[in-house]
Amino acid sequence: MESFQLVRVKVSWMALLALAHFTYLFVGATVFQILEREAERNNRNHFQLEKLNFLANYSCLDGPALENFVKVILYAWENGVNPSGNSTNPSNWDFSSSFFFAGTVVTTIGYGNLSPSTVSGQVFCVFYALFGIPLNLAFLKQIGKCLSVHLSRLERRMVAVVPLKIPRTVESVVVSLFFVSGSLLFLVIPPLLFSYVEDWTFGEGFYFAFITLSTIGFGDYVVGTDPGKEYISVYRSLAGIWILFALAWLALILNTGAQMMENLVTLMRPSFTKQEEEEEDRSSGKLEDTHTI
């Protein structure tokens, strides 16, 4: 009877978590629809009006010819060619850009503004990602371990300099310092540089940084893609290196946050935790009795 009650608590908690998850998705979908649908309608109407004005000004063109030209532009954009400018635009596949693209593959960011167009390139991309993603995860995990070691050292030094009786207080201070310093290094300074180089606002630079480091990668903002600018040759390569180390920092922060949420859930469900421990004790006791027999 007690075992059945424990299972029932687990199922109810899982149902509550699933309900919260899908409710969160529902609320997000509703808010995005409210914020973006009207702007999309206005942009569509503006585009259609511009097409009509273009046909009116250039009577030598007809509707089907213009539609075909629009398809050519879309095809070029989908294959990583910026329709603006001319043939002297910088290549998307120089070493710096290729290094940046390789980084977006193994980190699973995938902006979507650039992808292999040849069959051989697509096949290579599949196998490159197949082996590169686990290698990248192992690399990020190792960086996370190094950062954890430095955090532990910092915590011991703080205890030695300012003895505190509550270990949780020391841990909270160290995590806060790590979060603030990492935020400055990876989420404040880089957007400032990106906004300066790309002529973005700081908000746009910060948005790009967060969307990149969260591996969402919409592709609406990507560094080094403006054909009207001359970038240094290693600009996108440096951006790729920033992504790798920032991902390791963010992963450690998210893991710490997940642990804090687990601790909070445990505090909110003390009776469930107690039942779990009692059930484990009973199970271990039965196993010992079995071995004894």
Side-chain angles (χ1 to χ4, degrees), residues 21-47:
H21 179 70
F22 285 102
T23 301
Y24 193 78
L25 293 178
F26 177 80
V27 172
T30 303
V31 173
F32 282 128
Q33 182 182 27
I34 294 172
L35 295 177
E36 299 296 332
R37 192 170 186 177
E38 185 64 27
E40 179 199 34
R41 186 183 296 112
N42 293 335
N43 290 333
R44 183 182 292 112
N45 294 336
H46 176 72
F47 178 67

mmCIF file of all heavy atoms in Angstrom, residues 21-47:
data_model
loop_
_atom_site.group_PDB
_atom_site.id
_atom_site.type_symbol
_atom_site.label_atom_id
_atom_site.label_comp_id
_atom_site.label_asym_id
_atom_site.label_seq_id
_atom_site.Cartn_x
_atom_site.Cartn_y
_atom_site.Cartn_z
ATOM 1 N N HIS A 21 5.091 22.639 -18.100
ATOM 2 C CA HIS A 21 5.881 22.766 -19.335
ATOM 3 C C HIS A 21 5.000 23.189 -20.507
ATOM 4 O O HIS A 21 5.318 24.145 -21.234
ATOM 5 C CB HIS A 21 6.566 21.435 -19.637
ATOM 6 C CG HIS A 21 7.387 21.441 -20.881
ATOM 7 N ND1 HIS A 21 8.571 22.128 -20.992
ATOM 8 C CD2 HIS A 21 7.184 20.852 -22.094
ATOM 9 C CE1 HIS A 21 9.069 21.962 -22.205
ATOM 10 N NE2 HIS A 21 8.243 21.193 -22.891
ATOM 11 N N PHE A 22 3.898 22.495 -20.717
ATOM 12 C CA PHE A 22 3.037 22.810 -21.855
ATOM 13 C C PHE A 22 2.287 24.121 -21.651
ATOM 14 O O PHE A 22 1.977 24.822 -22.620
ATOM 15 C CB PHE A 22 2.069 21.660 -22.119
ATOM 16 C CG PHE A 22 2.713 20.473 -22.768
ATOM 17 C CD1 PHE A 22 3.040 19.353 -22.025
ATOM 18 C CD2 PHE A 22 3.022 20.489 -24.119
ATOM 19 C CE1 PHE A 22 3.652 18.271 -22.617
ATOM 20 C CE2 PHE A 22 3.633 19.410 -24.725
ATOM 21 C CZ PHE A 22 3.949 18.287 -23.979
ATOM 22 N N THR A 23 2.012 24.466 -20.403
ATOM 23 C CA THR A 23 1.420 25.779 -20.133
ATOM 24 C C THR A 23 2.393 26.889 -20.496
ATOM 25 O O THR A 23 2.014 27.914 -21.074
ATOM 26 C CB THR A 23 1.020 25.893 -18.652
ATOM 27 O OG1 THR A 23 0.085 24.865 -18.334
ATOM 28 C CG2 THR A 23 0.401 27.254 -18.370
ATOM 29 N N TYR A 24 3.666 26.664 -20.178
ATOM 30 C CA TYR A 24 4.708 27.632 -20.529
ATOM 31 C C TYR A 24 4.803 27.803 -22.043
ATOM 32 O O TYR A 24 4.920 28.919 -22.561
ATOM 33 C CB TYR A 24 6.042 27.162 -19.956
ATOM 34 C CG TYR A 24 7.129 28.201 -19.976
ATOM 35 C CD1 TYR A 24 7.157 29.229 -19.028
ATOM 36 C CD2 TYR A 24 8.140 28.155 -20.935
ATOM 37 C CE1 TYR A 24 8.157 30.183 -19.047
ATOM 38 C CE2 TYR A 24 9.147 29.107 -20.957
ATOM 39 C CZ TYR A 24 9.146 30.118 -20.003
ATOM 40 O OH TYR A 24 10.133 31.061 -20.032
ATOM 41 N N LEU A 25 4.731 26.687 -22.775
ATOM 42 C CA LEU A 25 4.752 26.749 -24.235
ATOM 43 C C LEU A 25 3.522 27.469 -24.776
ATOM 44 O O LEU A 25 3.610 28.267 -25.719
ATOM 45 C CB LEU A 25 4.821 25.338 -24.827
ATOM 46 C CG LEU A 25 6.108 24.546 -24.571
ATOM 47 C CD1 LEU A 25 5.984 23.151 -25.174
ATOM 48 C CD2 LEU A 25 7.312 25.269 -25.162
ATOM 49 N N PHE A 26 2.378 27.200 -24.190
ATOM 50 C CA PHE A 26 1.132 27.839 -24.631
ATOM 51 C C PHE A 26 1.186 29.348 -24.407
ATOM 52 O O PHE A 26 0.819 30.138 -25.294
ATOM 53 C CB PHE A 26 -0.048 27.231 -23.859
ATOM 54 C CG PHE A 26 -1.376 27.861 -24.187
ATOM 55 C CD1 PHE A 26 -2.070 27.494 -25.330
ATOM 56 C CD2 PHE A 26 -1.921 28.825 -23.350
ATOM 57 C CE1 PHE A 26 -3.291 28.086 -25.637
ATOM 58 C CE2 PHE A 26 -3.132 29.415 -23.646
ATOM 59 C CZ PHE A 26 -3.829 29.042 -24.791
ATOM 60 N N VAL A 27 1.657 29.754 -23.224
ATOM 61 C CA VAL A 27 1.767 31.188 -22.939
ATOM 62 C C VAL A 27 2.760 31.848 -23.886
ATOM 63 O O VAL A 27 2.512 32.931 -24.427
ATOM 64 C CB VAL A 27 2.194 31.401 -21.469
ATOM 65 C CG1 VAL A 27 2.517 32.870 -21.207
ATOM 66 C CG2 VAL A 27 1.089 30.935 -20.527
ATOM 67 N N GLY A 28 3.910 31.191 -24.123
ATOM 68 C CA GLY A 28 4.900 31.740 -25.046
ATOM 69 C C GLY A 28 4.344 31.898 -26.441
ATOM 70 O O GLY A 28 4.543 32.937 -27.092
ATOM 71 N N ALA A 29 3.631 30.877 -26.938
ATOM 72 C CA ALA A 29 3.049 30.951 -28.281
ATOM 73 C C ALA A 29 2.045 32.098 -28.373
ATOM 74 O O ALA A 29 1.992 32.828 -29.375
ATOM 75 C CB ALA A 29 2.378 29.630 -28.627
ATOM 76 N N THR A 30 1.242 32.271 -27.326
ATOM 77 C CA THR A 30 0.246 33.346 -27.331
ATOM 78 C C THR A 30 0.899 34.720 -27.346
ATOM 79 O O THR A 30 0.495 35.606 -28.108
ATOM 80 C CB THR A 30 -0.658 33.210 -26.089
ATOM 81 O OG1 THR A 30 -1.264 31.912 -26.072
ATOM 82 C CG2 THR A 30 -1.751 34.286 -26.105
ATOM 83 N N VAL A 31 1.919 34.907 -26.519
ATOM 84 C CA VAL A 31 2.596 36.204 -26.454
ATOM 85 C C VAL A 31 3.304 36.517 -27.771
ATOM 86 O O VAL A 31 3.215 37.643 -28.289
ATOM 87 C CB VAL A 31 3.600 36.227 -25.281
ATOM 88 C CG1 VAL A 31 4.435 37.499 -25.318
ATOM 89 C CG2 VAL A 31 2.868 36.118 -23.957
ATOM 90 N N PHE A 32 4.001 35.524 -28.340
ATOM 91 C CA PHE A 32 4.674 35.743 -29.620
ATOM 92 C C PHE A 32 3.665 36.091 -30.719
ATOM 93 O O PHE A 32 3.933 36.940 -31.572
ATOM 94 C CB PHE A 32 5.475 34.501 -30.029
ATOM 95 C CG PHE A 32 6.779 34.356 -29.292
ATOM 96 C CD1 PHE A 32 7.097 33.167 -28.658
ATOM 97 C CD2 PHE A 32 7.691 35.404 -29.233
ATOM 98 C CE1 PHE A 32 8.299 33.022 -27.977
ATOM 99 C CE2 PHE A 32 8.892 35.275 -28.556
ATOM 100 C CZ PHE A 32 9.190 34.075 -27.927
ATOM 101 N N GLN A 33 2.533 35.434 -30.699
ATOM 102 C CA GLN A 33 1.509 35.721 -31.703
ATOM 103 C C GLN A 33 1.008 37.155 -31.564
ATOM 104 O O GLN A 33 0.852 37.875 -32.556
ATOM 105 C CB GLN A 33 0.349 34.738 -31.560
ATOM 106 C CG GLN A 33 -0.744 34.940 -32.607
ATOM 107 C CD GLN A 33 -1.892 33.980 -32.412
ATOM 108 O OE1 GLN A 33 -2.146 33.515 -31.301
ATOM 109 N NE2 GLN A 33 -2.601 33.676 -33.484
ATOM 110 N N ILE A 34 0.767 37.589 -30.337
ATOM 111 C CA ILE A 34 0.279 38.944 -30.107
ATOM 112 C C ILE A 34 1.315 39.982 -30.533
ATOM 113 O O ILE A 34 0.993 40.995 -31.166
ATOM 114 C CB ILE A 34 -0.087 39.125 -28.618
ATOM 115 C CG1 ILE A 34 -1.283 38.239 -28.257
ATOM 116 C CG2 ILE A 34 -0.389 40.580 -28.305
ATOM 117 C CD1 ILE A 34 -1.597 38.215 -26.776
ATOM 118 N N LEU A 35 2.597 39.720 -30.218
ATOM 119 C CA LEU A 35 3.643 40.703 -30.496
ATOM 120 C C LEU A 35 4.047 40.760 -31.959
ATOM 121 O O LEU A 35 4.377 41.838 -32.474
ATOM 122 C CB LEU A 35 4.878 40.393 -29.643
ATOM 123 C CG LEU A 35 4.725 40.523 -28.124
ATOM 124 C CD1 LEU A 35 6.008 40.102 -27.428
ATOM 125 C CD2 LEU A 35 4.364 41.945 -27.736
ATOM 126 N N GLU A 36 4.035 39.630 -32.650
ATOM 127 C CA GLU A 36 4.648 39.551 -33.977
ATOM 128 C C GLU A 36 3.660 39.476 -35.141
ATOM 129 O O GLU A 36 4.029 39.794 -36.272
ATOM 130 C CB GLU A 36 5.581 38.329 -34.037
ATOM 131 C CG GLU A 36 6.720 38.368 -33.045
ATOM 132 C CD GLU A 36 7.673 39.517 -33.312
ATOM 133 O OE1 GLU A 36 7.786 39.948 -34.469
ATOM 134 O OE2 GLU A 36 8.300 40.001 -32.349
ATOM 135 N N ARG A 37 2.439 39.046 -34.923
ATOM 136 C CA ARG A 37 1.544 38.806 -36.051
ATOM 137 C C ARG A 37 1.194 40.089 -36.792
ATOM 138 O O ARG A 37 1.169 40.118 -38.023
ATOM 139 C CB ARG A 37 0.278 38.110 -35.556
ATOM 140 C CG ARG A 37 -0.578 37.550 -36.683
ATOM 141 C CD ARG A 37 -1.688 36.677 -36.152
ATOM 142 N NE ARG A 37 -2.402 36.031 -37.235
ATOM 143 C CZ ARG A 37 -3.391 35.165 -37.059
ATOM 144 N NH1 ARG A 37 -3.761 34.834 -35.829
ATOM 145 N NH2 ARG A 37 -4.009 34.621 -38.091
ATOM 146 N N GLU A 38 0.938 41.153 -36.051
ATOM 147 C CA GLU A 38 0.578 42.421 -36.687
ATOM 148 C C GLU A 38 1.745 42.977 -37.499
ATOM 149 O O GLU A 38 1.556 43.490 -38.610
ATOM 150 C CB GLU A 38 0.144 43.429 -35.619
ATOM 151 C CG GLU A 38 -0.368 44.748 -36.171
ATOM 152 C CD GLU A 38 -1.635 44.596 -36.999
ATOM 153 O OE1 GLU A 38 -2.391 43.634 -36.752
ATOM 154 O OE2 GLU A 38 -1.860 45.428 -37.901
ATOM 155 N N ALA A 39 2.968 42.865 -36.943
ATOM 156 C CA ALA A 39 4.143 43.334 -37.672
ATOM 157 C C ALA A 39 4.348 42.526 -38.946
ATOM 158 O O ALA A 39 4.707 43.074 -40.000
ATOM 159 C CB ALA A 39 5.383 43.231 -36.783
ATOM 160 N N GLU A 40 4.111 41.219 -38.872
ATOM 161 C CA GLU A 40 4.229 40.388 -40.076
ATOM 162 C C GLU A 40 3.208 40.817 -41.125
ATOM 163 O O GLU A 40 3.532 40.907 -42.319
ATOM 164 C CB GLU A 40 4.016 38.926 -39.708
ATOM 165 C CG GLU A 40 4.108 37.988 -40.907
ATOM 166 C CD GLU A 40 3.471 36.643 -40.644
ATOM 167 O OE1 GLU A 40 2.464 36.594 -39.907
ATOM 168 O OE2 GLU A 40 3.959 35.648 -41.201
ATOM 169 N N ARG A 41 1.984 41.091 -40.716
ATOM 170 C CA ARG A 41 0.951 41.521 -41.660
ATOM 171 C C ARG A 41 1.335 42.845 -42.313
ATOM 172 O O ARG A 41 1.177 43.024 -43.523
ATOM 173 C CB ARG A 41 -0.384 41.641 -40.931
ATOM 174 C CG ARG A 41 -1.565 41.952 -41.856
ATOM 175 C CD ARG A 41 -2.853 42.124 -41.091
ATOM 176 N NE ARG A 41 -3.248 40.880 -40.430
ATOM 177 C CZ ARG A 41 -3.251 40.697 -39.128
ATOM 178 N NH1 ARG A 41 -2.839 41.674 -38.315
ATOM 179 N NH2 ARG A 41 -3.630 39.552 -38.609
ATOM 180 N N ASN A 42 1.866 43.768 -41.518
ATOM 181 C CA ASN A 42 2.289 45.066 -42.075
ATOM 182 C C ASN A 42 3.441 44.899 -43.059
ATOM 183 O O ASN A 42 3.455 45.552 -44.122
ATOM 184 C CB ASN A 42 2.693 46.003 -40.937
ATOM 185 C CG ASN A 42 1.515 46.395 -40.074
ATOM 186 O OD1 ASN A 42 0.361 46.374 -40.520
ATOM 187 N ND2 ASN A 42 1.783 46.764 -38.832
ATOM 188 N N ASN A 43 4.404 44.054 -42.725
ATOM 189 C CA ASN A 43 5.528 43.821 -43.632
ATOM 190 C C ASN A 43 5.076 43.177 -44.933
ATOM 191 O O ASN A 43 5.559 43.523 -46.015
ATOM 192 C CB ASN A 43 6.574 42.933 -42.953
ATOM 193 C CG ASN A 43 7.308 43.647 -41.840
ATOM 194 O OD1 ASN A 43 7.439 44.867 -41.862
ATOM 195 N ND2 ASN A 43 7.776 42.898 -40.855
ATOM 196 N N ARG A 44 4.137 42.238 -44.829
ATOM 197 C CA ARG A 44 3.635 41.593 -46.042
ATOM 198 C C ARG A 44 2.900 42.593 -46.933
ATOM 199 O O ARG A 44 3.087 42.609 -48.160
ATOM 200 C CB ARG A 44 2.715 40.431 -45.668
ATOM 201 C CG ARG A 44 2.198 39.653 -46.875
ATOM 202 C CD ARG A 44 1.256 38.536 -46.497
ATOM 203 N NE ARG A 44 1.934 37.470 -45.790
ATOM 204 C CZ ARG A 44 1.745 37.177 -44.517
ATOM 205 N NH1 ARG A 44 0.902 37.891 -43.790
ATOM 206 N NH2 ARG A 44 2.393 36.192 -43.949
ATOM 207 N N ASN A 45 2.061 43.420 -46.328
ATOM 208 C CA ASN A 45 1.337 44.437 -47.103
ATOM 209 C C ASN A 45 2.293 45.445 -47.734
ATOM 210 O O ASN A 45 2.101 45.871 -48.883
ATOM 211 C CB ASN A 45 0.323 45.151 -46.212
ATOM 212 C CG ASN A 45 -0.797 44.233 -45.750
ATOM 213 O OD1 ASN A 45 -1.083 43.218 -46.403
ATOM 214 N ND2 ASN A 45 -1.429 44.567 -44.636
ATOM 215 N N HIS A 46 3.328 45.828 -46.982
ATOM 216 C CA HIS A 46 4.311 46.772 -47.504
ATOM 217 C C HIS A 46 5.055 46.166 -48.699
ATOM 218 O O HIS A 46 5.290 46.850 -49.709
ATOM 219 C CB HIS A 46 5.299 47.153 -46.404
ATOM 220 C CG HIS A 46 6.402 48.056 -46.862
ATOM 221 N ND1 HIS A 46 6.202 49.385 -47.172
ATOM 222 C CD2 HIS A 46 7.730 47.804 -47.081
ATOM 223 C CE1 HIS A 46 7.346 49.921 -47.552
ATOM 224 N NE2 HIS A 46 8.292 48.984 -47.516
ATOM 225 N N PHE A 47 5.404 44.891 -48.591
ATOM 226 C CA PHE A 47 6.108 44.239 -49.689
ATOM 227 C C PHE A 47 5.233 44.153 -50.939
ATOM 228 O O PHE A 47 5.687 44.407 -52.065
ATOM 229 C CB PHE A 47 6.548 42.842 -49.247
ATOM 230 C CG PHE A 47 7.254 42.063 -50.315
ATOM 231 C CD1 PHE A 47 8.492 42.458 -50.786
ATOM 232 C CD2 PHE A 47 6.667 40.922 -50.861
ATOM 233 C CE1 PHE A 47 9.149 41.738 -51.779
ATOM 234 C CE2 PHE A 47 7.319 40.213 -51.859
ATOM 235 C CZ PHE A 47 8.562 40.622 -52.312
#
